[in-house]
Amino acid sequence: MAAEIVNPRSDSKADRDGGAEPLDSFDPVFALHRGGKMAVQATVPVRDKDDLSLAYTPGVARVCSAIAEQPELVNDYTWKSSVVAVVTDGTAVLGLGDIGPRASLPVMEGKAILFKQFGGVDAVPIALDCTDVDDIVETVVRLAPSFGGVNLEDISAPRCFEIERRLQERLDIPVFHDDQHGTAVVTLAALRNAARLSRREIGQLRAVISGAGAAGVAIAKMLVEAGIGDVAVADRKGVVSAGREDLNPVKRQLASFTNKAGLTGSLEDALAGADVFIGVSGGTVAEAAVASMAEGAFVFAMANPNPEVHPEVAHRHAAVVATGRSDFPNQINNVLAFPGIFAGALQVRATRITEGMKIAAAEALAAVVGDDLAADYVIPSPFDERVAPAVTAAVAAAARAEGVARR
């Protein structure tokens, strides 16, 4: 029998008598998670022998034989083309870090239900008990025949970059690391609207990103792809620049297409005169550094639960403020992107998710705001029912335009 988690501060009769009261007797979070947050449900009835003969043997053999002769029929006669594998190794889970595959499952289940709730996409959480790049790649490749797409989740950098690249090279289905690209899509959408609000083009802006991990690198790539004036990325040792000798291969590549101004020094040094701050690293940025930014600056402090710049501080110096938290306006939330992106990719049976598809998703997401644009509304709510259909349609159209759609 599994051990119950005990509240050490409880003075219940069960505790006084040496018993153990489960946490879900008084904690609604644990109560909600009891037994998990999802289940498999049949889409066809099995009420009698006729139903059974159609859903299983002998009828199912005809479908299997047809797929054996024409493998592409698997997309029409199984759930493959509408289901995503949510894959993790548990090494970078939320703000908890390397907590392992078992402890990651509540998050992976949560991700799966967000796929269904916001995009109508079925998803299966898969927590792998390995962290070696080769092992993860080989395992996912062998699982791939069951799925229409792979969403990589909470895998630490820099391994996540190589895992995604190698999987996409070997598979003919979309592979998408949401910590990278979902964050980048929503950030770009919010930045486009902030620029529109201030009557500026994105090409007129200089941005500084705090954090050179998965999200920071992906945001930088997407901003450059979208035509940002300039963007510099800072890690713990300062601005990532070509002159640094301590850069790993990912950061050396990052230095090759960012920081056209040739900035060096600290994050705070880079912020002087900058138009945009994007935080995806944690830590705290001094108010004096925020105050040194250009007039009408944007501060997107997205660390959770503690933003790099508290909104109260940011509002004293910035025209638009966004965070990763739901209790402040302008939440940069990945759930605005990944359900619609996968729904659009699956709809056209795309072989991959391209940069053009991600840019299209960001533009569609920004357009949802429309004429309601305001300083406290540069990005829509995850509960806005217009979001997923808009992103889905844009991604599907972009996939067709870029030649990666199979229908």
Side-chain angles (χ1 to χ4, degrees):
M1 180 180 294
E4 300 284 4
I5 300 175
V6 181
N7 177 9
R9 295 175 295 179
S10 174
D11 61 355
S12 68
K13 183 179 185 299
D15 288 339
R16 290 195 302 270
D17 293 343
E21 184 176 357
L23 275 177
D24 57 352
S25 65
F26 55 86
D27 188 324
V29 171
F30 279 84
L32 181 143
H33 283 77
R34 170 70 71 174
K37 299 192 290 287
M38 58 185 296
V40 174
Q41 181 176 345
T43 60
V44 297
V46 184
R47 299 161 300 197
D48 52 37
K49 66 181 181 64
D50 292 333
D51 288 343
L52 184 59
S53 70
L54 291 172
Y56 201 53
T57 187
V60 72
R62 292 171 55 194
V63 180
C64 293
S65 297
I67 294 171
E69 293 178 7
Q70 300 180 63
E72 68 276 7
L73 292 179
V74 70
N75 293 299
D76 296 311
Y77 295 106
T78 73
W79 78 338
K80 174 181 169 65
S81 64
S82 60
V83 66
V84 171
V86 181
V87 179
T88 190
D89 64 357
T91 55
V93 182
L94 295 178
L96 303 173
D98 186 357
I99 60 175
R102 291 166 185 80
S104 76
L105 269 175
V107 177
M108 300 309 114
E109 287 183 358
K111 196 80 173 190
I113 65 175
L114 294 180
F115 265 109
K116 188 67 173 179
Q117 176 71 27
F118 293 102
V121 174
D122 289 306
V124 177
I126 298 176
L128 302 179
D129 194 9
C130 58
T131 58
D132 179 77
V133 170
D134 290 338
D135 289 344
I136 292 173
V137 170
E138 292 302 322
T139 301
V140 175
V141 167
R142 283 159 174 73
L143 289 169
S146 295
F147 299 99
V150 175
N151 184 85
L152 300 174
E153 189 74 20
D154 293 349
I155 298 174
S156 63
R159 295 174 312 119
C160 59
F161 303 111
E162 184 179 0
I163 290 168
E164 183 187 43
R165 177 185 59 79
R166 287 172 57 180
L167 283 173
Q168 191 62 84
E169 287 173 354
R170 294 183 60 180
L171 299 177
D172 64 349
I173 57 175
V175 179
F176 185 83
H177 185 209
D178 185 50
D179 299 328
Q180 295 182 57
H181 311 300
T183 305
V185 165
V186 183
T187 301
L188 176 58
L191 185 58
R192 281 196 181 282
N193 275 340
R196 181 163 69 94
L197 183 68
S198 65
R199 294 182 173 83
R200 285 180 283 178
E201 298 294 329
I202 198 168
Q204 298 175 271
L205 304 176
R206 179 170 74 83
V208 177
I209 299 172
S210 174
V217 171
I219 292 169
K221 286 181 178 178
M222 183 160 283
L223 293 187
V224 170
E225 186 77 17
I228 190 81
D230 196 10
V231 56
V233 183
D235 61 12
R236 291 186 182 90
K237 296 182 180 180
V239 176
V240 175
S241 58
R244 279 179 49 180
E245 298 180 356
D246 60 343
L247 302 180
N248 62 31
V250 171
K251 292 180 183 179
R252 281 199 298 273
Q253 183 188 31
L254 181 65
S256 72
F257 65 85
T258 61
N259 193 18
K260 292 186 294 187
L263 301 175
T264 59
S266 67
L267 168 72
E268 287 77 10
D269 294 333
L271 280 176
D275 303 291
V276 186
F277 167 75
I278 298 171
V280 284
S281 65
T284 301
V285 177
E287 182 171 359
V290 180
S292 75
M293 295 177 68
E295 185 177 354
F298 314 141
V299 171
F300 294 179
M302 299 188 289
N304 265 317
N306 299 311
E308 294 88 349
V309 183
H310 192 278
E312 183 178 328
V313 173
H315 277 297
R316 291 201 282 264
H317 309 285
V320 176
V321 177
T323 72
R325 288 174 43 158
S326 60
D327 54 344
F328 293 109
N330 295 328
Q331 184 191 19
I332 308 292
N333 190 329
N334 288 14
V335 77
L336 288 162
F338 69 81
I341 289 173
F342 267 100
L346 294 175
Q347 184 181 97
V348 298
R349 295 179 188 166
T351 57
R352 62 192 303 112
I353 294 171
T354 65
E355 290 301 314
M357 292 161 72
K358 289 181 279 188
I359 296 269
E363 291 174 347
L365 182 55
V368 169
V369 170
D371 294 337
D372 295 324
L373 181 64
D376 61 354
Y377 185 56
V378 297
I379 199 75
S381 162
F383 296 100
D384 189 323
E385 295 181 353
R386 300 170 297 171
V387 167
V391 173
T392 299
V395 168
R400 291 191 178 102
E402 299 208 338
V404 296
R406 286 178 284 200
R407 72 169 186 179

